Structure formats: structure tokens, C-alpha cells
Amino acid sequence: MTATQDAHGRAAAGQGQDYDAIIIGAGISGMYQLLRLRELGMKVRVFEAGTGVGGTWYWNRYPGARFDSESYSYQYSFSKELLQEWSWKEHFAPQPETLSYLNYVADKFDLRKDIQFRSRVKSAHYQDRSRTWQITLEDGSTHSARFLITAVGPLSAPTMPRLEGVGSFKGEAYHTGTWPHHPVSFEGKRVAVIGTGATGVQTIQEVAKTVGHLTVFQRTPNWCKPLKNGKITDEEQKKIKSSYDEIFKRCDETYSCFLHTPDPRRTLEVTPEERVAFLEKLYETPGFGMWQGNFSDMLTDREANRVISEFVAQKIRQRVKDQKVADKLIPKNHGFGTRRVPMETHYYEVYNQPNVELIDIKETPIERITPKGIKTTAREFEFDMIIYATGFDAVTGSFDRIDIRGANGLSLKDKWKGGIETFVGVQVDGFPNMMMLVGPHTALGNIPRSIEFNVDWVTSLLKFMKENGLTLAEAKREAVDEWTDFVREKAKGLLSNEIDSWMTGVNLNVDGKSQRTLARYSGSAPDYRAWCDRVARNGYRELAMA
Ligand SMILES: Cc1cc2nc3c(=O)[nH]c(=O)nc-3n(C[C@H](O)[C@H](O)[C@H](O)COP(=O)(O)OP(=O)(O)OC[C@H]3O[C@@H](n4cnc5c(N)ncnc54)[C@H](O)[C@@H]3O)c2cc1C
């Protein structure tokens, strides 16, 4: 027994371990959690795989990467001073601007001194006797803390396609989620893009501006909607800066924390003329309005969804000259809004360029990547560059890539094998003192709004524990059951949960992810917050504490 342990080998809070809390990840979640825990006087260490802060906006440097959330609704809201100091230049900021913002935040709050970069966490094991977590980095070093806080990101574990020969290609090859820091030129080159999700769409429309020849390999077309981005004028800037209270209040009130709210009317209760006029207006509205602010039954009523999808299909037919190509770009296996809607700027017009070709890999599947390019069942292509816009092992991917073991050596991956179960997306029974930020089953939507809530909730819990001399918090089994049932209940009747997508846990490039699961909470953010607030107000009865 050491001086810092009691008779049961348990370390007292703040003693016998390297840190009070270890946070994994220095994106928006990890940075804000660090700041909040410092305010509690806790000794905190953040381990981050990258060489800088920013998470998503550090890694995704691919051409065309930018927000789909309005810049001013996405940023941190916790500091009025910061809100006034930072001026967004565009309504939907490009990645370099967002990364600059997050670096500015790191400087302003002196965050870097507690962040260890180039430090990928390989394992995190709970020590039953000392009630601490032992973290091992890829370099073999170990670190311990009372609390383990995961801020690993819902979309941060890139996946490559399961194709033979990946790695044999002799030209340039990039994954959008690990895009290099050096400039990449497309000029005069023969470029292939594999993938047409939100990232693929942003990449394609940008690469097409300078490329020699572009070949797009598409498995599933998505319903894309014009972003309608623009510079923020001085006048708009003044208005934005004077209305932050209203902006964030509105985000707090909406279903998914966006500025857009659904129209209370049902799609088919209005006249066809009214409907078309409304949809035309939404099509021209910047951002997610058409997805988040459409008729109230768009995502629950099949016929409503069909009618709205047909409106968008018509737009695609109008914008793409070759109707055979247009047809390939129109989704057939899901309706508008039932998967993440990519935002675009002249995406469909790209296919009118003579130097752009669309290959439907459901018709002619890719057989393999070759040293010179890509071989499908119909043709052999030669390329100078292949861009993998094949997305992420979403939601649980970054957890699965760490060997996380809770009490009695229970592995988190095994625990979730039969389906994800959490308590408000923050805790898992059997994993004491582990808190997840934007983990599975938390409200997502306009994510930083959910991040700030999650972080504040975890901070209040840790404060409560500190004030009450508690060193252990673990969700009770019945609390996990109750929350998981609520998540299931909220998923019912939503067309999006009948579709394969990362939101339903499907990724055919990942073992064990071919079946739909409830990967996310699909109820409203206000309902989510109400549940969490009730738990806090009642003194965390849902958690076993000691
Ligand atoms: C291209 C793209 C565009 C997006 N656009 C929007 C948008 O417009 N609006 C919106 O609301 N959301 C958007 N998102 C979602 C975005 O992920 C969140 O908004 C937000 O950035 C999540 O922040 P985070 O800190 O929780 O996670 P992340 O930003 O993903 O950060 C997680 C960090 O954890 C680190 N990490 C993970 N595992 C380990 C490990 N084992 N060891 C050490 N470090 C580790 C990663 O390196 C990363 O830096 C977008 C996502 C992508 C990929």
C-alpha cells in the first residue's frame, strides 16, 4: 500500500495517479472539456493523435471542406468575449477558417500546455483496486487518471474501401480524412474520386475546377442541396454579433440545434401550388433549411417524402444535361433527408463538363485497384491520383480502435457487440469513471451545441463528486436500460432509421457493420437535455457513486 492509497488499495481523489482526468482528443469537445475541468482546479492531460488542435478541422483538409452549419451557429458560445472577437468571413466557413478559429481559441485560453500531441491512445484499462484508468499510448508510455473522458469524435476514424490492391497504386493516393498538409495540385492530372457522400461531393466540385480529367466512382447517390454560401457583409456581421443570445436560444429550441425549424404544415395538406412555392423557397434557402425546415411530416410520412424527393429529382434533371447521367445521380434506395444531405455548390453542373465522367459501381463494380489505376468489371482506368472519399467508421469507430476495458477487464467492443447501450450517451455500466463526449446515443445535429451541453453536464457531475468526496461514478444497469429504451422509442416511425447509412451504424467497409443498429439518438435535443437535467437535479440517482 502506498501513502496515497487506502486500505482497499484505492487512491484518494487527486492522489496516487498522474492526473485527475485524462481526455482523449483535442477537437471541439476535448478543448472545451479541458477548459471547464481546469476551472474546477483539476489536473488534466489531453492526448491527441494529431499535431495540432481542431479534430475534424485539423484532419479534413481536403479541397472544398467546409461547414454545412451556419458558421455563427456552430462556434463555441460559452465566452461572450470570444464571440465578439472572432468575425466569420463566410456564412459557411471553409476548413482553413475554422481551423484558424480553433487555434485562436487554443491560444486565447492557453490550452496547448495541457495537450500532448502526436500521442495516439492505444489502450485504456480501468484499475478496479485504485478506481483509476491506465492509459497506454502507441509509444508505450503509460499514464493514469481518476477519470477517463473520451472526446474521440463521431466522425474521426477514416475507412478505406475493401478493395483488392489498395496500396499497390503507384500514383498519388489520399483519403479525405487524412489529407496531407502540403498543397495538392490537380492541374492537368487524371484524378479518380471514390465516394459521393457529403465529403465526396465537396471534393468533387472543387477538384473539377482545375483537373485534367475526373472520374467519379459512385456506389450510392445522395440527395444534395445547394449550400448558397456567401461572404458575410459588414452589415451582416454587426447584426450577427448583436444577436448571439437569440441565435443560441433558437439553436437550443430546435430539434437538432440548427437554426432551422420544420414548418408545422403537412406536405399534402397544402395545394400543389403552395407546396411547390414553399419547396422552391427552401431550395434557395442557404444551408440545411430544406432538410431541417421542411414540412413537418417529411421524415415520417412515406408519401410526403416521395413528393419532396420528386421535387429534388426534378432539380437534378434540370441541372444535368445528359439525362442518363442525371438518372444515375438520383437516389433510388432512399428518400430526401433520410440520409445526411450533402450541401453543394455547382455539384451537379460538374457532370456537364466534358472532362468529367460518372461511373456507377453498382452497375460495373470495382474489381481491384491496380498499380496504374482502377479496374472495374467493364474497364481498366489509368490515373495520376486516387482520392478516397470513403468516410468514417462512424460513432463507435474511434472507440473500437482503442482497447477500452472497464471493471473486471470487460472490453467495450464486446459490451457493444449485441447493440450499443449507454446512459444518456455519456456513461456505460461496467465502465466506472468513464465519460463520453458526443458518444453514441447523445444528441448530435449541430454538434457543437450538443458538445457544450455534454461538457457542461460532465463538469457539473465531476464538481458534484468533488464536493461530496466521491471517487466513483458508474451508470446503474436499470438507468442504462431506461435510456436505451427511450432511444429505441424515439427511433420508431422515422424513415431515416429504415435506411442503411452511417446514422444507422452501417458501413460495408467495416467488419461487423453490415446490419443496422441504433447508433444514434434520434429524438430531439431539448428532450435529451431535459432528461440529463432531471438526472442532475435529482442528485444523479441513476449513477452508483462511492
Ligand atoms: C468533413 C466534415 C464536416 C463536418 N461538418 C459539420 C457541420 O457543418 N456541422 C456539424 O455540426 N458537424 C459537422 N461535422 C461533424 C464534426 O465531427 C463535429 O462537428 C465536431 O467537430 C466533433 O468534434 P469532436 O471534438 O467531438 O470530435 P473530432 O473533431 O472528431 O475530434 C476528435 C479528436 O480525437 C482524436 N482522437 C481520436 N482517437 C484518438 C486516440 N485513440 N488517441 C488520441 N487521439 C484520438 C482525433 O485525432 C481528433 O483530433 C463534420 C464532420 C466532418 C468529418
Side-chain angles (χ1 to χ4, degrees):
M1 189 170 84
T2 68
T4 54
Q5 290 175 330
D6 67 14
H8 304 284
R10 295 184 300 228
Q15 297 174 316
Q17 70 253 351
D18 302 328
Y19 305 101
D20 293 312
I22 284 176
I23 299 171
I24 312 177
I28 294 178
S29 303
M31 290 167 70
Y32 182 46
Q33 186 67 82
L34 166 62
L35 189 65
R36 277 281 172 261
L37 294 189
R38 261 193 205 163
E39 287 167 6
L40 291 188
M42 290 176 79
K43 193 177 169 201
V44 186
R45 193 76 172 155
V46 181
F47 293 108
E48 165 56 54
T51 60
V53 297
T56 293
W57 307 104
Y58 165 89
W59 292 104
N60 288 270
R61 296 164 190 249
Y62 61 84
R66 69 171 64 245
F67 283 149
D68 291 332
S69 300
E70 286 76 5
S71 312
Y72 29 89
S73 77
Y74 182 97
Q75 67 191 322
Y76 288 118
S77 71
F78 67 85
S79 162
K80 286 207 182 333
E81 195 178 273
L82 174 64
L83 286 170
Q84 292 308 317
E85 280 171 6
W86 188 262
S87 302
W88 293 99
K89 295 189 186 73
E90 297 184 41
H91 286 273
F92 302 89
Q95 172 272 334
E97 193 179 344
T98 308
L99 186 58
S100 301
Y101 165 73
L102 292 168
N103 274 297
Y104 180 82
V105 174
D107 289 339
K108 180 174 171 68
F109 297 99
D110 197 12
L111 297 181
R112 285 193 195 81
K113 67 178 183 209
D114 292 321
I115 306 176
Q116 190 173 313
F117 296 107
R118 296 186 179 81
S119 300
R120 185 170 288 282
V121 175
K122 206 174 72 175
S123 68
H125 293 175
Y126 182 67
Q127 312 294 308
D128 294 279
R129 281 173 58 78
S130 59
R131 292 183 180 169
T132 56
W133 281 88
Q134 174 137 331
I135 270 60
T136 305
L137 303 183
E138 263 181 358
D139 68 7
S141 63
T142 59
H143 309 265
S144 62
R146 169 75 65 221
F147 298 102
L148 171 67
I149 301 181
T150 64
V152 291
L155 296 167
S156 69
T159 48
M160 289 291 281
R162 286 179 200 268
L163 289 172
E164 238 182 275
V166 170
S168 69
F169 181 59
K170 298 272 185 266
E172 295 170 79
Y174 307 108
H175 187 288
T176 49
T178 49
W179 197 263
H181 293 203
H182 60 76
V184 175
S185 164
F186 311 104
E187 227 162 294
K189 291 182 184 164
R190 298 161 303 170
V191 176
V193 176
I194 302 180
T196 53
T199 288
V201 167
Q202 288 185 334
T203 306
I204 289 161
Q205 66 197 20
E206 195 60 31
V207 171
K209 289 179 185 167
T210 54
V211 76
H213 190 278
L214 173 64
T215 310
V216 175
F217 292 85
Q218 170 188 273
R219 184 174 61 195
T220 310
N222 283 289
W223 296 101
C224 310
K225 144 84 184 61
L227 176 64
K228 302 279 170 187
N229 187 25
K231 298 256 184 269
I232 295 176
T233 63
D234 289 348
E235 208 169 306
E236 284 171 330
Q237 193 71 260
K238 272 190 212 127
K239 194 160 173 250
I240 289 167
K241 288 200 178 180
S242 63
S243 40
Y244 276 132
D245 286 350
E246 290 144 58
I247 288 173
F248 294 118
K249 181 169 177 289
R250 191 169 166 79
C251 290
D252 271 356
E253 288 166 357
T254 60
Y255 199 94
S256 304
C257 314
F258 289 102
L259 289 167
H260 317 276
T261 27
D263 188 290
R265 293 171 301 169
R266 297 176 69 81
T267 311
L268 302 175
E269 81 184 22
V270 299
T271 63
E273 294 73 27
E274 277 177 299
R275 186 163 53 241
V276 168
F278 179 61
L279 294 176
E280 286 290 358
K281 192 175 129 224
L282 286 181
Y283 201 73
E284 292 304 312
T285 303
F288 276 149
M290 187 141 197
W291 188 22
Q292 301 290 323
N294 215 311
F295 290 113
S296 58
D297 58 351
M298 180 182 84
L299 296 176
T300 51
D301 184 292
R302 257 172 246 288
E303 184 55 14
N305 188 271
R306 192 194 62 73
V307 169
I308 294 168
S309 301
E310 183 45 38
F311 173 89
V312 185
Q314 201 52 37
K315 290 285 179 197
I316 299 171
R317 288 187 200 105
Q318 284 163 8
R319 291 174 58 186
V320 179
K321 285 185 190 144
D322 181 336
Q323 289 306 295
K324 277 200 201 120
V325 176
D327 193 55
K328 283 186 188 166
L329 290 165
I330 296 172
K332 309 289 185 305
N333 65 352
H334 67 283
F336 180 80
T338 60
R339 287 163 65 114
R340 165 80 157 72
V341 177
M343 295 282 110
E344 50 88 17
T345 305
H346 307 309
Y347 172 66
Y348 290 111
E349 286 72 14
V350 161
Y351 296 96
N352 297 333
Q353 289 181 208
N355 62 343
V356 176
E357 186 178 10
L358 178 66
I359 303 295
D360 179 343
I361 58 171
K362 280 219 170 104
E363 264 174 26
T364 54
I366 296 178
E367 281 184 346
R368 58 172 299 130
I369 306 292
T370 67
K372 287 187 173 166
I374 294 177
K375 184 173 183 314
T376 68
T377 50
R379 265 163 78 185
E380 207 160 339
F381 298 81
E382 289 192 5
F383 296 115
D384 301 305
M385 185 191 298
I386 299 178
I387 300 175
Y388 296 98
T390 43
F392 302 93
D393 183 358
V395 186
T396 51
S398 36
F399 289 91
D400 289 347
R401 291 177 187 196
I402 306 172
D403 175 25
I404 300 178
R405 289 176 191 271
N408 304 314
L410 175 66
S411 123
L412 184 64
K413 204 170 173 181
D414 285 347
K415 170 94 179 162
W416 281 345
K417 231 173 206 156
I420 299 163
E421 293 179 331
T422 72
F423 176 61
V424 297
V426 174
Q427 274 223 305
V428 182
D429 57 309
F431 294 79
N433 292 354
M434 182 179 90
M435 315 284 165
M436 302 179 292
L437 302 175
V438 272
H441 293 180
T442 31
L444 291 175
N446 190 14
I447 294 183
R449 305 282 59 79
S450 302
I451 288 175
E452 283 190 335
F453 179 82
N454 258 188
V455 168
D456 290 342
W457 194 84
V458 167
T459 307
S460 299
L461 169 61
L462 267 50
K463 183 166 181 268
F464 176 88
M465 292 178 71
K466 194 176 177 195
E467 285 168 356
N468 291 281
L470 301 164
T471 56
L472 181 142
E474 180 188 350
K476 291 179 187 165
R477 182 63 224 173
E478 56 271 27
V480 170
D481 286 342
E482 204 189 342
W483 174 252
T484 307
D485 284 349
F486 185 66
V487 172
R488 282 196 198 106
E489 191 54 39
K490 288 289 166 184
K492 283 184 189 155
L494 275 183
L495 297 174
S496 49
N497 287 326
E498 298 171 10
I499 302 294
D500 288 352
S501 76
W502 69 259
M503 299 193 292
T504 50
V506 176
N507 184 335
L508 299 179
N509 293 320
V510 179
D511 283 337
K513 287 209 165 177
S514 56
Q515 301 291 325
R516 274 177 228 151
T517 51
L518 274 185
R520 63 175 186 142
Y521 160 76
S522 37
S524 77
D527 280 353
Y528 173 81
R529 287 193 293 265
W531 190 295
C532 295
D533 286 343
R534 180 170 48 78
V535 171
R537 228 179 12 255
N538 293 339
Y540 305 99
R541 288 194 304 239
E542 289 79 356
L543 307 182
M545 289 194 172

